[in-house]
Amino acid sequence: MPWDDRLGRRLKLRDLHVLKTAAQLGSLGKAAAELAVSQPAISKAITDLEHLVGVRLLDRSRQGVAPTLYGAALLKWSAAAFDDLKRGVEEIDFLADPTAGHVRIGTGEGMPAGLIAAVIDRLVRQYPRLTFTVIQAATNDLQYHDLRERKVDLIFGRLRIPLTDEDLSAEVLFQDPCFPVASIDSKWGKRRRIEPAELVDEPWCLPDDSLLLPAIVEAFRSKGLAVPRRMISTNSIQLNYEMAATGRVLTMATGLRLRLIGKLMGLKALPLDFLILTYPTGIVTLKNRSISPPAQLFIECSRQVVKRIELLAMRAHA
């Protein structure tokens, strides 16, 4: 079925929207109620679309409707078309009023919320009508899924380097090393010098993280040490720090997180020759997708905030 002028002229966005709504709701009746039209109108729109493309797009049964293989393919690519049109309208609005716009940011548990908050705070002071949606994915891989499904405009988080996905573009903003961390009031927090071997048999609360955990294990093994005794395993970064704050377990924290929450939670990096280089933090976007002006503002502001944090860190260690 080659694309030609006839198909291009007859294909209606309204019919694609009807198909998308019916597939999402699993019912022609629910789609009719959602779109405030009659059910026969919904059936006709989908039938016309099926006749135009020459294949069945929905399987119909007493339980409702579901996309066929062909319907799923059309919905996949029409989602990109709707997203691009939406972004086009948003860009027109932004050009008419540069203080307004919306940015959807994908991130993960490992990304310090304080960093995202600093970027948003800086932006809204300059553009008070900007709005933001921040979606925290349950896993790092789900961040990329949300980006490809166009649920977010960009990912602001830890990057898998090298990034071999041909459809993605990555910009590294900073490399944030990780340190063993303990409560300031713990027996370790009072020590001036610690050997890594002393910590192996201590109870640890460590992240169940496909990016960070292998780096921690390799760091200990590189010094000829066994893997630390992991008393608590969790995918919650916050729980790691809350447990360490009790003074009874050790954990790992990045330098940036320590600068943001270390004093607040009473945590400190332990004084030992032990540094773990983890995956860097940066921005990921889709190569074949134009970046909206509000999203571009967010990216530029992220660069500025990171530079400022790095400058402050250098002054603190000077």
Side-chain angles (χ1 to χ4, degrees):
M1 182 188 61
W3 177 270
D4 55 25
D5 290 342
R6 177 174 173 273
L7 183 60
R9 288 196 304 269
R10 293 184 59 191
L11 188 63
K12 299 177 183 178
L13 287 176
R14 174 184 174 276
D15 292 347
L16 287 174
H17 184 57
V18 168
L19 176 67
K20 174 185 175 183
T21 305
Q24 288 178 336
L25 298 178
S27 164
L28 299 185
K30 290 180 180 178
E34 175 73 16
L35 299 176
V37 297
S38 67
Q39 185 167 331
I42 295 291
S43 297
K44 183 177 185 306
I46 294 175
T47 300
D48 289 347
L49 191 55
E50 290 178 328
H51 179 72
L52 179 63
V53 298
V55 292
R56 180 174 290 277
L57 299 174
L58 290 180
D59 284 329
R60 299 159 174 83
S61 68
R62 291 183 178 179
Q63 288 71 39
V65 297
T68 64
L69 181 66
Y70 309 111
L74 184 60
L75 287 169
K76 172 186 174 182
W77 292 105
S78 63
F82 278 115
D83 181 68
D84 285 341
L85 285 171
K86 178 176 179 291
R87 290 165 65 82
V89 173
E90 289 175 347
E91 184 165 344
I92 291 172
D93 291 340
F94 185 82
L95 292 172
D97 182 1
T99 66
H102 186 71
V103 188
R104 298 171 300 170
I105 305 139
T107 189
E109 173 72 16
M111 186 65 173
L115 180 55
I116 299 177
V119 176
I120 292 177
D121 180 63
R122 183 166 181 163
L123 277 174
V124 296
R125 281 187 274 120
Q126 187 174 359
Y127 304 97
R129 294 183 61 196
L130 280 180
T131 57
F132 304 84
T133 297
V134 181
I135 300 176
Q136 180 175 296
T139 67
N140 287 295
D141 287 340
L142 285 177
Q143 295 179 92
Y144 296 91
H145 178 268
D146 288 344
L147 180 63
R148 289 189 171 102
E149 291 295 313
R150 297 171 183 258
K151 296 178 181 178
V152 297
D153 300 312
L154 56 92
I155 294 172
F156 189 23
R158 285 189 293 171
L159 311 182
R160 299 179 314 216
I161 297 296
L163 190 65
T164 57
D165 308 69
E166 295 183 354
D167 61 329
L168 302 179
S169 178
E171 175 186 350
V172 174
L173 294 179
F174 65 97
Q175 177 77 55
D176 197 15
C178 195
F179 305 92
V181 168
S183 166
I184 294 174
D185 298 325
S186 70
K187 65 178 181 179
W188 300 108
K190 296 176 171 57
R191 293 273 297 273
R192 294 187 177 182
R193 183 67 184 174
I194 301 171
E195 293 299 325
E198 298 179 72
L199 305 179
V200 172
D201 293 326
E202 290 296 307
W204 286 76
C205 181
L206 292 175
D208 186 12
D209 187 312
S210 60
L211 295 181
L212 181 57
L213 187 58
I216 295 172
V217 172
E218 178 58 29
F220 275 89
R221 286 178 175 168
S222 68
K223 291 186 175 293
L225 301 174
V227 178
R229 182 166 71 90
R230 185 160 46 152
M231 185 176 76
I232 303 168
S233 176
T234 177
N235 63 354
S236 170
I237 298 294
Q238 187 62 30
L239 179 58
N240 280 302
Y241 303 145
E242 293 287 353
M243 291 304 305
T246 67
R248 287 183 285 276
V249 299
L250 303 171
T251 192
M252 292 282 183
T254 63
L256 177 58
R257 280 191 183 271
L258 283 176
R259 291 193 291 273
L260 292 172
I261 67 169
K263 290 184 179 179
L264 178 65
M265 299 194 68
L267 300 175
K268 64 173 289 188
L270 298 182
L272 70 165
D273 182 18
F274 198 80
L275 180 144
I276 300 172
L277 291 178
T278 61
Y279 285 81
T281 296
I283 300 284
V284 181
T285 56
L286 282 174
K287 283 184 179 178
N288 60 349
R289 183 188 190 192
S290 61
I291 301 174
S292 69
Q296 188 59 60
L297 282 176
F298 182 90
I299 292 172
E300 180 56 36
C301 188
S302 299
R303 295 171 183 147
Q304 296 170 4
V305 169
V306 167
K307 286 181 180 178
R308 182 173 180 274
I309 290 175
E310 289 178 332
L311 180 61
L312 292 174
M314 290 175 59
R315 289 175 178 173
H317 289 90

